[in-house]
Amino acid sequence: MPIYEYHCEKCGEDFECLIIGNDTPACTGCSSKKVTRLMSCCGFVSKAAGGQTVSASAGSSCSGCSASSCAGCSH
Ligand SMILES: [Zn+2]
């Protein structure tokens, strides 16, 4: 079962919660349901790494081919 990391919009608390189905957990600090799900573990890392890759290569080439723009490929 997946454990997701959440950030409470109301009090700023970060907490982890084991999620079953599409339940939205309540904040462990203030019981607010206004929480944002963070991508934990590898999902979070690959997103950060992808962001760096994109910004480093922006304007020069796309990640899927050597073209100078993505107009000619499916990316
Ligand atoms: Zn809270």
Side-chain angles (χ1 to χ4, degrees), residues 8 10-11 13 27 29-30 32:
C8 176
K10 197 173 174 185
C11 72
E13 176 98 352
C27 171
C30 67
S32 169

Side-chain angles (χ1 to χ4, degrees), residues 11-44:
C11 72
E13 176 98 352
D14 290 321
F15 61 99
E16 291 178 343
C17 194
L18 192 148
I19 299 302
I20 300 169
N22 289 319
D23 273 1
T24 300
C27 171
T28 56
C30 67
S31 299
S32 169
K33 287 250 179 181
K34 204 170 180 182
V35 296
T36 306
R37 189 167 78 188
L38 307 172
M39 301 306 288
S40 61
C41 302
C42 42
F44 187 74

